[in-house]
Every structure is written in structure tokens, then in C-alpha cells.
Amino acid sequence: MTSFREIPPGTAYAGPETLNDAVIRIAGNSQDGIQSVGAMLARLAGRSEMDVMTYMTIPATISGGPSIFQVHMGSGRVLSAGDAADILVAFYQHSYDDHLESLRDGGVLLYDSTNVEPDLDVLRERRITPVPVPMTSLTIEILGGTGKKKGKNIFLLGLLAQAFRLDMEKIRRLLGEVFGHKDESVLRNALLALEGGYAYSIGDMQSFFTFEEPRHEAGEAGVTKVTMTGNQALAYGAVAAGIRFGAAYPITPWTEVMEQLRYDLPRYGGSFIQTEDELAGIAAALGAAYGGVPSMTGSSGPGLALKSEAISFAVMAEIPLLIVDVQRGGPSTGLPTNVEQSDLNLALHAGHGDAPRVVMAAANVEDCFHLVIEAVRIAHEYSVPVIFLSDQAIATRIEAFPLPDLTSVLQFPGAKPETVDSYKPYPLDRITRHMPPGTRITDGKYPNVTGLEHDEFGHPSANPKVHMAMTAKRRAKLEALAETLPRPAVQGPKAGELLLVGWGSTMGVIREAVDRAAASGVEYSAIHLRHLNPLPPGLEELFRRFERVLVVEMNDRDANGCGQLARVLRAQYALPHIGGITKTDGLSFRIGELLARIEETVGGHAVFVGPAVSHANPNH
Amino acid sequence: MTSFREIPPGTAYAGPETLNDAVIRIAGNSQDGIQSVGAMLARLAGRSEMDVMTYMTIPATISGGPSIFQVHMGSGRVLSAGDAADILVAFYQHSYDDHLESLRDGGVLLYDSTNVEPDLDVLRERRITPVPVPMTSLTIEILGGTGKKKGKNIFLLGLLAQAFRLDMEKIRRLLGEVFGHKDESVLRNALLALEGGYAYSIGDMQSFFTFEEPRHEAGEAGVTKVTMTGNQALAYGAVAAGIRFGAAYPITPWTEVMEQLRYDLPRYGGSFIQTEDELAGIAAALGAAYGGVPSMTGSSGPGLALKSEAISFAVMAEIPLLIVDVQRGGPSTGLPTNVEQSDLNLALHAGHGDAPRVVMAAANVEDCFHLVIEAVRIAHEYSVPVIFLSDQAIATRIEAFPLPDLTSVLQFPGAKPETVDSYKPYPLDRITRHMPPGTRITDGKYPNVTGLEHDEFGHPSANPKVHMAMTAKRRAKLEALAETLPRPAVQGPKAGELLLVGWGSTMGVIREAVDRAAASGVEYSAIHLRHLNPLPPGLEELFRRFERVLVVEMNDRDANGCGQLARVLRAQYALPHIGGITKTDGLSFRIGELLARIEETVGGHAVFVGPAVSHANPNH
Amino acid sequence: MVHTVNDTPVCAEQRPPLTRADLKADKPTWCPGCGDFSVLAIYQKLLEKKNLPQESIVTLSGIGCSSRFPYFVNTHSVHFIHGRILPFATGLSLSRPDLHPIVFIGDGDAYSIGGNHFDHCARKNVRLMVVVMDNQVYGLTKKQTSPTSPVGFKSKTDPWGSKVTPINPTKKLISSGATFVARTAASNPNHMLEMMEAALDHDGFSVVECFSECVQFNPGSFDAAVPRKGGAYPPVPEDHDVTNEEAAYALTREPFPGHFGIYFKVDRPTLNETEGGLAESPTSDTALKDVRQQLEASLRQLT
Amino acid sequence: MVHTVNDTPVCAEQRPPLTRADLKADKPTWCPGCGDFSVLAIYQKLLEKKNLPQESIVTLSGIGCSSRFPYFVNTHSVHFIHGRILPFATGLSLSRPDLHPIVFIGDGDAYSIGGNHFDHCARKNVRLMVVVMDNQVYGLTKKQTSPTSPVGFKSKTDPWGSKVTPINPTKKLISSGATFVARTAASNPNHMLEMMEAALDHDGFSVVECFSECVQFNPGSFDAAVPRKGGAYPPVPEDHDVTNEEAAYALTREPFPGHFGIYFKVDRPTLNETEGGLAESPTSDTALKDVRQQLEASLRQLT
Ligand SMILES: Cc1ncc(C[n+]2csc(CCOP(=O)(O)OP(=O)(O)O)c2C)c(N)n1
Ligand SMILES: Cc1ncc(C[n+]2csc(CCOP(=O)(O)OP(=O)(O)O)c2C)c(N)n1
Ligand code: SF4
Ligand code: SF4
Ligand SMILES: [Mg+2]
Ligand SMILES: [Mg+2]
């Protein structure tokens, strides 16, 4: 521990800071179980009523390879996975080499001194505190030869528990839950490694910072939180929404949703099947939906593309269906394990002909639960397919959110066969609500459900007036839906120089950026859109109150600098002051990056765009 | 012939008119061979250096059923298939009942008096001249029992030859070409029926109008014309463009393109295969294109939707490919035999991720030949898939256009394997030009062509900078293409109150509407877009010179009244004075209809919107 | 068979029996003389004979002349997209065990664009009856080569005659694991009725491959199987063991017109059985309380 | 074999022989111990042995662990999309008869999403060699049930064990008309080489179904076929007649691990032969004059 406490020359040591939220980045290989230790940290944070958000990368190799897991936990409103880390944990030399940059000046480097040799000069210059721990050798010491592979992550958990003064009782209980159903020795070893890490002296790290478990804002105290990934939340949300049948084909990063539903749905009297391909997936889901059972399919971009033809059918035949797209980098096979928001165009336009459908996008993990319930409700209320967009970042990151009040959110929009006098499947005077097969129709005229243009009974018709009327009908129901949508809440002033517009997983970053700008005395505003088609009311008026509207999205720009949503808004409102901030590097926006891009675009503001420290509360 | 020459009471007979172009509508059943007599009329008109355009409907039943064929032939610039007919030929009572409305007041009703009984009061009121001819019985008389079915159409051709003073020598030659390769008796019977119709006295019809074979504008005289449908032109155009491989699946109204190419390509050392489905079709075409052979696939809306995933690959892997979509009514199976322009959104956005591709649209039959050559050139020059839009109207109608000068238009953009020192498939400093397999690379490094994001050699890369650079590269090449595109010519004043914007098969109607408005003293302007992505330069500036820009298209409108292209233009230029005139009845715009819609939209102009007579040149 | 429609078991006897008049719908738009008329008539006869509750019958199709079927029979019906009706029907079959989904499609829909779905429905043994109306041509799109068109067949996409080996439907079905495979012809209504009835009675994936002549684009194609046109209609040999896969396979290799009758019939658990969940009628909403308890328990594990 | 590359016949002898070093490309990203390494090694050995002109070899794949193949071998190569490489390779094979297109894909790519293309390539007898690297699991997406996963296989999509009958690849291939069908295992490199060589030499659609263990998600799956792990590697019986379809079919029905070797091999005209047009190398532009004459003649008929 030679370098511990070394203060960089020329930098006055200002005493410990108090962090009330902290970003921990763990860098190693994916085999090291860093995901699971990260997930446990997140769970712990959730249980302590802290906010938490995680972020991870997945290696390019098929199994194994360098990987990181980042946890942002702490006070009040953790909205992004964090920018620069307060603590970097480096298991290997490559972890150190690749990630030192992401550690903020003045942060802590916790490294496995069995494998890593840091450049002390650099650390000194950047006021980084190195904390060497021979993690590999200590774990082997504690657990014997196999510990190197299996226990290092839990040892690290112990170390972090020490550094952050986490509640060891809670951790032990968590380990019990995680490993309890396995061979007894597994849990015993885990506990051994944990205690080892907790006991290992990392010196007076607290003299650099103290982590204070945040007090919660009024109203939030005592709230029980659940901690999970976006894909998990989506699967649970689907159950709560009433989905009882699903059919799909695996693809990253969508697969976990179907895996979980395949496992869970039978408990609810439902079923989720793996089909031979995506075309069969949507077809089977449509078949069950036609049967009156709330149904879903899902995929990532390539699979959504394959479902295009059937989406057009769902619009024409007016069948309610939830279609999930967990977006990844495109086009084609693209960047399967990176984030991008480049499927919006496809979501809006997949399929041929005039085929209006609903498109919604989750802003975070909690949305994956709650918004999907709304999506399924809309699908059934308007007999329309709803494309629900998530993305790789939301899908894989862990967040804590309040345990949903199921009594108020549960729904079951399924249709039960009844006996009716007569029935028109496609009435022109109201929104289609299908009666499922099994419905007895006493006037003896049974309906056709069809992809051909049809009259009110579902008979094929090429009559010009019929096609006009039916086309208008399919459009008008979305216009009716639009009127019912909530106007998005504005963060910041209701009028002014700049309005940022976000959708999908950029929400947290945009919010923090606006907060940080405000802290620097610059007033930006922001809204976040969850309904992308139809759009909620009031946007035009709102946009007109700002000098500039910038849509922040992770996809490519056009000649005007506009990304995919920005173009939709321009098409809708023809307002030339709508522009865009886009990017295509396959990574989530960082706060500093976004602020810099805003400055670059609007020019001349004095927003602080250096490394992220706003979440640290300097105490000196 | 009781009513012949009866002049409606209260209508002063004003002597014969001279038509220099004429619209003939033949209404019967599809078994009657009205398509073939219509096609022969069109061929004849083409051979007489007349302009010609046809229009037909297809029955809803699988084979047979009511059907019409309309021929517009005549002077100078025949741009639409015509509005109201000058002559209606009615084979059956239902033909009369359904189509009398489409005959202009003062026109001629030629009907099979064996089957039709017209309402003479109505005719009188509308100043329509009835010409009864017992076609069925006369044809049976001439040809014997089977003539009823087989010869009535040719008998009609004879009648029309008489009425329009067509050149019988040309007609006889044409019949020889059409029937010459069949059993000798077939031709003999056809000639008998022809002469019978020509000789049958229809009285002094010329006292109602005289058809004058138009003189051509300078420069056009002596021009040899070819007469064909849009689908035929597309197939020939593909050959001229250098296409040597194709793969597709049948679907109306695309099928004839593949049928003809399947038959023709082997003569050019090529091949067109029918695959098991549309996904295989585009995959096989991509395989051949990768092999360096200019290749194509095609379909109608449902099939284009199925090709979505592979289109995204073509963009990513930068493979040149011609993808034809002959649009029909949608969504889903929709209106398979009607016209609609509702696949533009899909053409622009089919496939996931940021996937820029070229989209072009043919304006008429001639374009199907020439524009497809440009499309294939662009595909190869920019290594990009090009989606080429036609529609049911263009596909099935017959037009005459000047015999192409093949020496100047033929191309072969295929890539030949060579020997090179080294090769990067995806260079960042210039536009990708693939070297096909077979290329010997002496530095020994062979390339990967891939749908994963990749570095310059085609190796997979998730490097953020690489994805940014490659995404930008794929976008930038279309920006480069845009700069080379011709600015669309403006019909009418270069600035003013109203600019109409058309694309696809609406061109003729828009032009005639502008002409007709001008004749009424109202000055509209129009442009027609063939390049829909990227857009040609200069549009913004042009649009700003008009008070109102209305995009005329056959698809559904949004809340602003904008159709699919109008939304693209608004997204691009954010000009609120861009609006739309759209329709969704599955039929082509008629000129009067369009003028009425313009008036309705812009208000208060005194454009004549009654039944179409502008092409008749009243002589009284 | 007892059905749970409207939550109470409905016995067919409580109602007047289903008649063919009840089952009439739109006038068929097929060409006069098309074999499909006969398939339709026999289907209506079958439904009349079985006297199933009308509302429990679902007639499903893809796209093609044959797939116009649903409009011509008065039951709940779906006219889906080309080639995908099997997975659609799978979803319906799994989620609504009280219904009788019956699929009618053409050879192109079934074996060209939809071929893969057949194989997977077969191996999974989805409870589903399918009638393939095989006219060995694409009828609706006006005469292109179909996957069952024989070598030498001249079509608009094979003007010189097709040169590729056609798909052998019964071979494909047996080898991919269908548990009921029969072969019949629209020209033999009695036999067709017999085969359809056996298929309907089979618990599993049952396919009737049925010659149905396209008089417009492939006239005379099945004359060799029509005795009154000088052909033969050889039945499956009496001693054929329908549970013997290899024997059934051998039967599929006989030269045209082959044999007619049941080629293969075995029992294997259906996907509907192994995917038991949905048997509990999820369309009932009385279970929402249970859903709450179950889901709450799951979520609490993540606190 | 004589190739027309660069318009002049190239005889392999004019160059230094192709070595395995020439064929090395990126370091494979497969998990240590994955069966796919062995398939790659044997492929490189095969290419070395056949000494084909390097530029005439095209290595093609779909999507999956196995489909990463093209990056690891230094030839012209294509990494296409999931399930569609067979029609892609068909287009290439038909339009470039001078090349050697060789496809490597996984069981999911081949028999699940891509299953229909197999049947149609088989019946059309496209000149194409395919190696299916069957690990009976979805590797790349991390352990879902594949169409070849055995009953009882526990995966993330079948946590209770799969209950459906898997696809039998050789059965599927033989019944759909493939003209060369062999079975081998990555654990037996010599046998694999023999099979691949026979497949490459076959003129038509040749498929090698090859067990390749996924040590990550399906370890030990093929132990029963690995003698050094106590299993057996039974060859196709010596008296098996590879041209006898029924015998080959019977062979496919043997219990796991079945037999290894050539099951079926017959000669039938290839699609490449019957679609003769492209044999004339359309990549040559010297023919533009002929094109003009021909097209002019066609157009003049429409004047
Ligand atoms: C995706 C798609 N591709 C193609 C078509 C066009 N199409 C309609 S029916 C059909 C084939 C008809 O043949 P078959 O299935 O044998 O039925 P048949 O008309 O002979 O009864 C085709 C290719 C379509 N509707 N949708
Ligand atoms: C259209 C599409 N659907 C799904 C996927 C996701 N996916 C990639 S590989 C794969 C299956 C892998 O299994 P297999 O083909 O057996 O190859 P293996 O990885 O086992 O070698 C899947 C489902 C995809 N890339 N594209
Ligand atoms: S085209 Fe053929 S299959 Fe279609 S209705 Fe007519 S006869 Fe029947
Ligand atoms: S996951 Fe399985 S198939 Fe994929 S590389 Fe690893 S061991 Fe091989
Ligand atoms: Mg058919
Ligand atoms: Mg596999």
C-alpha cells in the first residue's frame, strides 16, 4: 500500500467528501461474475430505498471477454447510470487500461494487485486514490483453488460493503436468497468470501469520502422498492397487463422477455411459445388475439422487420396485439449488444399500405412495467397493434422502483365469447371491438376477419367508397386516441430558449443534464415523449413557446441534423426550429457529452461540461 | 335505329365536332377480349404516331366478370387515360348501367343491341347519340356459332375503324402479327370479323364528330413509337439497364415483370428464377449481386414488407440491388387490383436501423423503361439498394412512347473479377465499390461482406468510432448522390400561388389539370418528383416561391391533410405551406376531380371542373 | 365432444341440428367447374354431419383461390396472409381449446411460402386440421409454377415447362412428423368426406392433401385419378399399416396418381397437451385475484 | 476442375499450392473447447488438400456461433442474415458457376428459421455445399431450444425440458430431395474431412450434417458418439446402398447417435444446368452489342 494517501503534488488535500450518491464501475471479464455482484449491489441499494441504475457492456466474443458493470446508487433521483465513476474496480490490467479514463479526477481506484499494475504518476496527477487489494490471491486463500473463479466477485462485494458501509445483514440475507436453493457449500463459500472482503483492511478510505445513505424526499420514505432489469419489468408488466399468450423467436436483447414469460405465463393460465421464426411468432400471437386472449409478440430490429407484413394485416383486420421491439444497433445484424434508437422509423412504418398503428416507448425500467399495461389497454380499446419500443440500455440495466400497487394496475382486456343477436366485425359508426370465435350469433350470420379490404361484415369489397371509409376509420381511431393522451410534463420553464425532447432510454440523461445546467445557472426545459404515434396533444403550442427545440436521440441525423423522431415532429408541425442532437456510437449519452452537444448546437452557454461530479456533494 | 339522329329537345344541334383526341371506353366482361381489342387500338394509335394511354379495371371474381378497357388516343400530349369518354361501347346491359355515367354529355353510345336496351330519355337529355349494333348476332352470322365468344371484339375493332377512319391496312397487318403464329383459321376468322364490322353501316356517325389524326409537334414527326404496358416497359428497361439475374415470387400486379424476364433474360445470358417466397427472392438476388451480376427482385406491397430485413442487410453490406414495388391498394391484402401510392413509407423505411436507401418512382410507362436504367446505374455507382416504385395503374396501362435509342441507353454495370494488390470492401475515404468473389487479391487478404457493423476490411467491430463513421458513410453517399440529381422542371410559372407536386402515376393527370386550368385562365404550376430519396436539390427554394404547395398523391392523409410524400417534404423543409391532396378510393385521379379538389383546398378559383371535354376541340 | 362455450358446456342436442342452409354464405367467386366447389360442398356436409356448435367452428385460410374459402361458408372465419395461416391457427388452437379450427389452403400457400410452418406444426403435433386444395398451379395469380407442379408443366413462369422436381406433399408431411396424413381428390366427394371426417376426429396435426382441379389454368391435370375420365383412383392397399412410417413413406413414392386414403396415423402427445397452461381458459377474468397474489409474490422476491 | 476466373482458365498448378497459413484469418471468438474449432480446422485442411484457387472459394454463413465461421477463414466470404443464406448462395451459385460457394450454419439457422429454404434447394438440386454445425442448441443467443434439441433438453425457453419431437435433419434432407446427405461429427476430424470432401466433389445440393458440441450450453451432448468418452461412432453399414432412398430413410430412424457416413447420394440434373442461361458469364460486357440487337428486335415488335 505504498501509494495510499499520496496526495498529488500541487493539489491541496481538502479533506473527505460526503457522497450521497456514487457511481461504481466494476471492470473485469464476463466470467468473473461482475454482472451478478453488480446486480446484488443494485438490489441492496433498492432495498435501502436508494435509487439505483446500472449499466453494462457485453463482450464481443461469444462467451467471456472484457466486460463492465456500472452501478449508480444513491439519493433522491438517480436518473442515469452516471457519467464518470467515483470508484473504479479493476480486475485485470486491461480493465485498468481501458477504464481509467472513466474514473473521475479525485476518485478511487480499487484494483486486484495480483493482476494490475497502475501508473502511479498518472494517478497522482489526477488525484486518484489507488487502493490495491490482492483479490485473486486472497480469495484463493479463503476458498481454496477454485475460489479464484467463483468467489472473487463476492469478495469484492465484501470490500465494497466495507467502503460504503453497507448493511451486512441485508447482504447476508440476499446471498441466502440468491444461493440458498443451490448446493449448501455454494452459500457457505459465498458467505466466507463476503466476510473475507469485509474484513480485509482497505485502510482509511473513509478519509477520502463518506457515503451517506440518502434520506428520501417526503412521500417516498417507507416505499418498498423492486429492483430488476427492463426486460424483467417488461415481462412482469405484460402479465399485469393481462397478456396470456405470446409467441416469438429468440434474439438479443429481446430474448429474456420471452424466456421469463415462457416460464411465468403458465402460472397465470397462459402460455408463451417459441416459434420457428419471427413470422410464425407474430402469426401465432395474432391467432390467439383473434381468439380473444390478450397476446403479444416481440423481437429486436431484425425480427420486427420480419413481422412487417403481418403488422399490416393486424392494422387491416383490426386485431389488438402487443408487439415489443427491444432495439439494438442497426442496420442489419449491426451491433447486437449495443444501444440505439434507430427502429423508430420501422416501428412507425413497418408493413405496406396506409397502416396506422400505435407506437409507444418506455423511458426507463419502471415504464417497462407500467407503460406496457397502458399499451395493452390501448391495443384492446382501439383494436389496433401497438408497437412498444424498449432498447438495449433499458433492457439490461437494473433500476429500483416502487413496488407496483397491483390492485390498481392489474387488468384483463380479454374478450369472452357471448351470445349476441347480430354482429358486424367492422362497424363504420364506432371503433371495432372484436367478438372472438365461440361467440354465438343468433341471427346466424358469422363474421369474416380479413386482410382484404372489406365492408362492415368483413366481406371483401373493392368499392371506392368502402375503401375510403375504412381507411378513414383506421386513421380516425388513432386521432380519437390522441385526444385522450396526457400532455407531457415540462421539466424547467414552460417557455424559453431551449426545449429538449427525449424519448426512450435518454430520459434520465436529459433530466440530469437539465438539472446540471440549472445548477450552473442555465435554464433549459425538457419533455419526454412516451407516445410516439399518435402524438399527444399540445405539442405544437408548446414548441412554439421555445426559440429552439432539440430532439435528443440515439440514431442518425439527416441533412438538417434531425434524427428519426425530430423528422416526425417536423412533418407534423412544420416548425423549422425543431432540430436534433443525435449520435450513432452505440453508447448511451453521457451527461457531460449531452451538455457539450447542446452547447455546440445552440452556442455560447456557460454550462459546466467537465467530468461528471454533480452527484458528488463536495464537503470541503 | 329509331333514335339515331334524335336531337335532345331544347338543345340546339350545332353540327359535327372535330375531335383530335378521343376517349373510348369499352365495357363488357373480361372473357370478351376487350383487353386485347383495347390493346390493339393502342398499338394502332402508337403506330400512327398518336399518343395513347389506356386504363382498365380487373374483375373481382377470379376469372371473368365485368371489366372495362379505356383508350385515350390522339394529339400531342395524351397524359392521362382520360376522364369522361367520348364513346362508350356497351356489350351488356350491366355495362350500360354501370358506365353510362362515364360517357360525356354529347358523346356516342355504341351498344350491342342484342343485349342492351338503353333508356332513350336519359340519352336525349344528355345529348348522347345512341348507335345500336347487334354485335353478337352479326358476329355469329359472320363466323358461325362460336363467333359470339371469339370474334365480337374484332368485329368491334372494325366498327371503330369505320367510326374513327383508322387505316385498315395497318389493322390487317396487326392482326397478322397477333394471330399469325396460330392456326390459320384463327387469322381468317379475325379478318372476317374485322371486315364485317368495318362494312356494317353505323350511319352518318361522322356527322356528330370527325376524328382527325393529329399532326405532331415538330421534332416528334417520324418518330417510331413502341406501345406497351408499364410492366412490359419495366422488364425491357431492366434488360437495358444491365440486369442479368432476378429472383422473386409472383404477386399481382408485379407478376408480369418477372414472367417476362424469366422468359427473356436467358437470351441475354441471364436468368430470373421463381423462388419459394419473397424472402428467398431478395436473398437470391443479393447473392447474385454479390457475385458481381446486376440483379433485381420485386414484388408488390406484401412482398416488399417481407423483404424488409434483407433490405437492411443490403444497406449495411452495401450491395447494389434493384428492388421493384408495383404498388396496389393496402394495407395487407387490401385491394390487390386497384391503384394506390401507399407504399412510399415502407419503401423509405423498410428494414430496421438507420438504413438509407434510394427510392425512385416512375411517372409513366416510358419511365418504367428509362428510369429503371438510371436506378440500376445509381445502385451500382453508390453500392446501395434502390427501391423502384411503380403502381397498378402504370403497370397495366398501355402507352406509346418513342422507340428508345438503345445505343445511348444500354449499360452493363456488372463487376468483373480481376486481380488486385489489396482490397478493402468498406473504405472510409470513398464510396464502396465491391469487387466480386473471383477477384484475386495478391496481398492474400480476402474480404468479408457482412451485416454486422464492420471496419474497412469487413471485420466485425463494435468500436463506437467505427459505427459512427460507417453510419455517416452510408448516409453521406446519398447526400453525394442528391447533389447530382436534376432539379425537376416546373410546368407553369416559376413562382405564384400554387405549386402542385406529384410523384408516380399522377403525373399525367396533374399536367392535364394544370393545362386545363391555364385554359380557364388560372395559372397553376406543377413539378413531378422521380427521386423520392434522396430528394433532388433546389426544392426548398422552389417551394418558398409559392404561396401554397400541394402534394397530390393516392394515399391517406394525416391531420394536416398531408399524404406520405407531403410528410417527407415537411420533415425535410419544415415549410408549413406544404399541404396535400390525397385520396384513398383505389382509383386514379380524374382531371375534373383533381381540379375540384384543388379548388376546395385553395378556394375560390374559377377553374372549369365539369366533365372532361378539353381534349375535344368543338368546331361549332 | 363437449365444449365450454359461454362458460357452460353446450351439448349440440339442445339446439336444432346444424343444416347446410345455415352454413351457406357468399356465392363462391370461383370459375365454373373449379374443383374447389366440391371441397366446399363436402366441408358443409361434414359440418352438418358432425353437428358441431356453429360458433365453435373456425374456418381459416391463407391467400389463393382456394383460400377464398372462408367467405363461402358461414362460420367464424379468417382470411389471413399468404403462407402463414398455420402459425396463426396454432395460436388459436393453443389458446382456445374449445374451438375447432380448420384450415383450407392451396398448394402454393402450403408448400411454397408456408412450407416451413408445416414441418414445425407437424413435429410439434399441433391440434389442427388442414385441407390442402392442391391444383398443382398458382390459380389466383393466373398460372405460375407451384411447388407441386409436375416436371414439364408449362406456366407463365416456366414457359418451356418446369424442370425441377416437385414437392411430394405426403412425403413431406410424413417425414416431418404429421400424425395424420391422408390423400383424396375433389373429384371423389364420398372419399373426400371420409378423409375429412377422419382428419377432424384425429387428435393432433391432421392433413388432408386433396387434388382440386383448376379448370382455368391446369385443366385435366387429375384426369388420371378420375375413373370416369379413364383414370384410376387406387385406394391405399388394404393391408397398409397406417402406423408404419416406412411403409407410409414407400407409399408416397408411387407414381402419379398414387394412392388415395389414409397414409399415416399415429398418436403422439399434442402441443396443446404439453403446453397445458392455457387449457384453463384464460379468457375468464374471475382469476384476476389469483393473478394479483401470484404476481405480487414474484415481485416481492425482487425487493 | 477448371475455372474461368479473370476470363482465362486458371490451373491451380500455375501457383504455389494453397496452404493452411494462407487460409488463416481472425482468431476465432468461440469458447475454448467449442466443437466449431475442429470444423474450421478441417475446412482449412480440405481447402489445402483440394488446392482450389483461393479467390474462387466463397465461405458463406447465416447468423449464430457457427455462422461466425467466415471471419476465421481467409476466403471471399459473406456473413448474411439469420436463416436465409441458402437462397443467397443459390443466387451466387447460379450466377457465378466459376465459384465454389460453401455454406456453414447452425442447426437453428438451418432447420428453424431457414427450414423451408433447405427443402426447396434440395428439390431444385442447387449446386451448393452446406455444412450444418449442429450443437442441438441456440449457442449465440445463449441456450434456447433448437429444432434438433432432444426431448427433455432443458434450456432457457424450456426450463422444464423440451417436450416436442425434434427435427431429424437427415430425414428432412432425404425426403425433400437433397442429392447428397452425409452425417459426421466434429469429434472425428478424419471422418469429417472425408465427408466434406465427398460433399465438395458432389455435383448438386450436398449437405453434411455435423455434430459440433457447444461446451458452453450443451456440454456432453454428443458423448454417446465419442468413443473416447465411452460412446460409439457407428459407421453407415457397409452394405447400405446410398442410392436407395427408402434404405436411407430407414437409416435416419435409428436411435441416437445413429450412423455416420454417407446416407444418400444420387445424381439428378442441377438447377444450374436447367437454368442454363447464366453459364455464359454475364459479367462479360463484350456482349453489349448482342444485347442491343436482341432488345431492339423485341422492342420493334411492339411498334
Ligand atoms: C406475401 C404474398 N406473396 C404473394 C402473394 C400473391 N399470391 C396470392 S395467392 C398466390 C398463390 C396461389 O396459389 P395457391 O396457394 O396454390 O392457391 P390457388 O390459387 O392455386 O388455390 C400468390 C403467389 C400474396 N398475396 N402475398
Ligand atoms: C432474424 C433474426 N432472428 C433471430 C436472431 C438471433 N439469433 C442469432 S443466432 C440465433 C440462433 C443460433 O442458433 P444456431 O443457428 O443453432 O447457431 P449456433 O449459435 O448454435 O451455432 C438466433 C436466434 C437474429 N440474429 N436474426
Ligand atoms: S383460377 Fe383455377 S383454382 Fe382459381 S377459381 Fe378458377 S379454376 Fe379454380
Ligand atoms: S456458446 Fe457454444 S457454440 Fe457458441 S462458441 Fe461457445 S461453445 Fe461454441
Ligand atoms: Mg394452387
Ligand atoms: Mg446451434
Side-chain angles (χ1 to χ4, degrees), chain A residues 407-429:
Chain A
T407 323
S408 67
V409 303
L410 278 193
Q411 68 187 18
F412 185 76
K416 240 175 77 170
E418 295 166 43
T419 298
V420 295
D421 290 343
S422 70
Y423 170 57
K424 281 189 215 171
Y426 300 107
L428 276 170
D429 56 352

Side-chain angles (χ1 to χ4, degrees), chain B residues 61-63, chain C residues 29-37 64-66 68 133 135 137-143 212-219:
Chain B
T61 45
I62 282 154
S63 181
Chain C
T29 50
W30 292 311
C31 306
C34 177
D36 295 355
F37 283 101
C65 288
S66 39
R68 288 271 167 153
M133 294 152 78
N135 54 12
V137 69
Y138 283 14
L140 191 65
T141 47
K142 306 196 188 298
K143 201 173 189 174
S212 177
E213 184 182 345
C214 173
V215 294
Q216 187 73 21
F217 300 121
N218 199 5

Side-chain angles (χ1 to χ4, degrees), chain A residues 62-63, chain D residues 30-31 34 36 65 135 139-140 213-217:
Chain A
I62 284 156
S63 182
Chain D
W30 293 311
C31 307
C34 178
D36 296 355
C65 289
N135 54 13
L140 191 66
E213 184 181 346
C214 173
V215 296
Q216 188 73 19
F217 300 120

Side-chain angles (χ1 to χ4, degrees), chain D residues 66 106-109 133-140 146 148:
Chain D
S66 39
D107 42 308
D109 193 288
M133 295 153 77
D134 187 351
N135 54 13
Q136 304 191 336
V137 71
Y138 283 14
L140 191 66
S146 111
T148 55

Side-chain angles (χ1 to χ4, degrees), chain B residues 2 51 59 63 91 131 193 306 387 526 550:
Chain B
T2 47
D51 277 344
S63 181
F91 277 5
V131 182
L306 286 172
I387 300 185
L550 289 178

Side-chain angles (χ1 to χ4, degrees), chain A residues 62 249-252 255 278 299 302-303 306 328 333, chain B residues 309, chain D residues 30 36 63-67 81-84 105-110 113 133-141 144 146-148 214:
Chain A
I62 284 156
Y249 190 72
I251 187 168
T252 306
T255 317
E278 286 86 351
S299 191
L306 286 171
R328 62 190 213 183
T333 311
Chain B
E309 191 205 1
Chain D
W30 293 311
D36 296 355
I63 301 288
C65 289
S66 39
S67 285
I81 54 178
H82 195 40
R84 316 285 168 205
I105 44 180
D107 42 308
D109 193 288
I113 189 168
M133 295 153 77
D134 187 351
N135 54 13
Q136 304 191 336
V137 71
Y138 283 14
L140 191 66
T141 47
Q144 295 80 26
S146 111
T148 55
C214 173

